[in-house]
């Protein structure tokens, strides 16, 4: 009789122990290392999943400062949302992700009479780029540099004619290395620009060096860096920059090794999930 009471007591003790452990386990699973920053509410597990496709060194770098990363990411998503119906600030615009033939930004502004150095008249850029572009050119000018804008927005049909023109001279294979087929040009976005001579020499000029070093501070990013032709599909273009907003450029520089295609691909792959976790 006494033995069975002892058994009953120890049974109760085990039961209490089991319930306590269950409570601890449930509370752990519930929070699952939930971390909130900016206004993205995401668990550690969900966050790690977004980093799956990235190269190891890039992923490790992001994990070292998750809070800053998430906070910048949240800003980027807000800016994209605020971009209204255009919503193409971070569209890949490459040979796999084509823009429609009728895509034309509705907020294009002429570059003429804005105090820029231009190599031709009639160029346009999206309004959303203008303030930061002016700031960059003006700061460069204060540093004694003369940055010339050589190409800006190009329509689908303009790109089509240009591409066919190049094919006539260089053939299809060679043309594809330096010119975009219609719909695949970042210039159609109205947020990309070519500076200076549009030749490789540009990188050795003071202007080319300054832009390479400083453009990120104004939201600009080098689209086709040296040594990445197999992924970007284009040879090194030291003159071609795309506007990706200031937080976007900081995110790309500090966490994606300055590689625009990695940053844009990350956003494209994870945008929907991240937006569903965004609290405002
Ligand atoms: Zn270009």
């Amino acid at each position: 009789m006494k033995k069975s009471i002892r058994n009953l007591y120890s049974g109760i003790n085990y039961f209490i122990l089991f319930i306590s452990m269950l409570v601890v386990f449930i509370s752990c699973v519930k929070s699952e290392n939930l971390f909130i920053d900016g206004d993205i509410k995401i668990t550690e597990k969900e966050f790690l999943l977004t980093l799956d496709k990235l190269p190891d060194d890039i992923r490790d770098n992001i994990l070292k400062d998750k809070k800053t990363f998430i906070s910048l990411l949240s800003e980027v998503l807000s800016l994209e949302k605020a971009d209204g119906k255009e919503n193409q600030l971070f569209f890949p615009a490459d040979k796999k992700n084509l823009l429609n033939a009728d895509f034309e930004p509705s907020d294009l502004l002429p570059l003429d009479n804005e105090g820029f150095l231009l190599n031709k008249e009639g160029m346009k850029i999206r309004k959303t780029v203008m303030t930061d572009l002016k700031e960059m050119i003006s700061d460069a000018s204060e540093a004694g540099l003369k940055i010339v804008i050589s190409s800006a927005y190009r329509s689908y049909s303009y790109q089509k004619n240009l591409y066919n023109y190049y094919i006539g001279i260089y053939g299809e294979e060679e043309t594809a290395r330096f010119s975009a087929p219609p719909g695949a040009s970042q210039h159609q976005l109205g947020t990309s620009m070519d500076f200076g001579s549009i030749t490789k020499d540009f990188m050795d000029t003071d202007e080319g060096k300054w832009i390479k070093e400083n453009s990120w501070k104004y939201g600009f990013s080098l689209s086709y860096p040296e040594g990445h032709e197999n992924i970007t599909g284009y040879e090194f273009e030291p003159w071609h920059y795309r506007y990706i907003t200031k937080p976007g450029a900081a995110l790309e520089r500090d966490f994606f090794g300055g590689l625009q295609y990695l940053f844009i691909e990350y956003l494209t792959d994870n945008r929907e999930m991240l937006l569903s976790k965004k609290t405002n």
Side-chain angles (χ1 to χ4, degrees):
M1 187 67 182
K2 274 188 175 176
K3 201 179 170 190
S4 66
I5 289 174
R6 257 206 318 272
N7 282 346
L8 180 66
Y9 272 125
S10 86
I12 290 171
N13 281 342
Y14 278 122
F15 181 69
I16 292 171
L17 184 69
F18 170 74
I19 292 294
S20 318
M21 284 168 72
L22 193 66
V23 167
V24 170
F25 175 73
I26 288 172
S27 59
C28 278
V29 168
K30 210 175 164 194
S31 70
E32 205 186 323
N33 301 324
L34 184 72
F35 66 95
I36 303 166
D37 206 279
D39 50 7
I40 295 179
K41 213 173 188 176
I42 192 170
T43 66
E44 188 94 32
K45 199 175 162 191
E46 289 164 334
F47 181 59
L48 285 172
L49 224 59
T50 72
L51 309 178
D52 245 12
K53 268 170 76 181
L54 294 169
D56 290 351
D57 57 331
I58 302 280
R59 189 172 55 232
D60 292 348
N61 193 34
I62 292 171
L63 289 173
K64 273 185 209 152
D65 191 1
K66 291 179 287 200
K67 287 211 162 193
T68 309
F69 181 84
I70 296 270
S71 166
L72 283 168
L73 195 57
S74 175
E75 274 189 72
V76 162
L77 291 169
S78 296
L79 283 168
E80 185 176 50
K81 202 172 161 193
D83 196 35
K85 77 177 186 70
E86 312 302 337
N87 210 25
Q88 304 287 355
L89 276 172
F90 306 101
F91 184 78
D94 55 28
K95 288 169 188 174
K96 283 184 241 154
N97 303 276
L98 301 178
L99 288 159
N100 290 332
D102 60 359
F103 174 76
E104 181 179 319
S106 62
D107 60 348
L108 289 171
L109 292 176
L111 287 172
D112 298 325
N113 308 315
E114 292 286 346
F116 295 119
L117 289 166
L118 308 168
N119 82 344
K120 53 179 174 275
E121 288 181 350
M123 287 189 286
K124 289 176 187 168
I125 205 78
R126 282 196 55 198
K127 187 181 175 205
T128 190
V129 186
M130 196 61 106
T131 308
D132 290 336
L133 177 65
K134 278 187 178 170
E135 193 191 354
M136 179 169 81
I137 302 274
S138 143
D139 285 357
S141 170
E142 269 177 39
L145 303 167
K146 291 183 170 136
I147 293 180
V148 176
I149 301 174
S150 303
S151 188
Y153 166 71
R154 288 184 212 145
S155 70
Y156 184 94
S157 58
Y158 183 100
Q159 190 67 29
K160 193 175 172 182
N161 291 337
L162 187 69
Y163 195 69
N164 288 335
Y165 168 77
Y166 285 139
I167 285 179
I169 301 173
Y170 302 103
E172 203 154 354
E173 197 180 324
E174 183 58 23
T175 299
R177 292 187 65 207
F178 68 87
S179 182
S185 173
Q186 289 190 352
H187 286 279
Q188 194 184 340
L189 293 167
T191 49
S192 293
M193 266 160 289
D194 295 334
F195 295 109
S197 58
I198 321 191
T199 61
K200 295 265 191 316
D201 302 343
F202 181 65
M203 69 175 165
D204 298 318
T205 63
D206 290 342
E207 282 78 7
K209 287 178 198 161
W210 189 92
I211 287 192
K212 185 169 184 258
E213 192 65 29
N214 296 288
S215 56
W216 71 275
K217 296 175 197 163
Y218 308 90
F220 290 88
S221 144
L222 181 75
S223 297
Y224 310 118
E226 194 161 21
H228 295 268
E229 182 179 348
N230 57 339
I231 298 169
T232 64
Y234 299 104
E235 55 184 8
F236 177 39
E237 293 193 356
W239 59 84
H240 179 107
Y241 284 80
R242 171 179 182 168
Y243 181 74
I244 55 169
T245 75
K246 285 179 179 175
L251 196 62
E252 180 202 287
R253 175 181 180 267
D254 294 343
F255 294 99
F256 289 93
L259 297 171
Q260 190 190 106
Y261 64 84
L262 274 186
F263 166 54
I264 298 282
E265 191 182 25
Y266 176 83
L267 264 188
T268 307
D269 289 349
N270 299 292
R271 174 184 288 111
E272 217 165 297
M273 192 279 271
L274 293 166
L275 281 172
S276 76
K277 304 285 172 185
K278 213 160 151 27
T279 52
N280 65 28

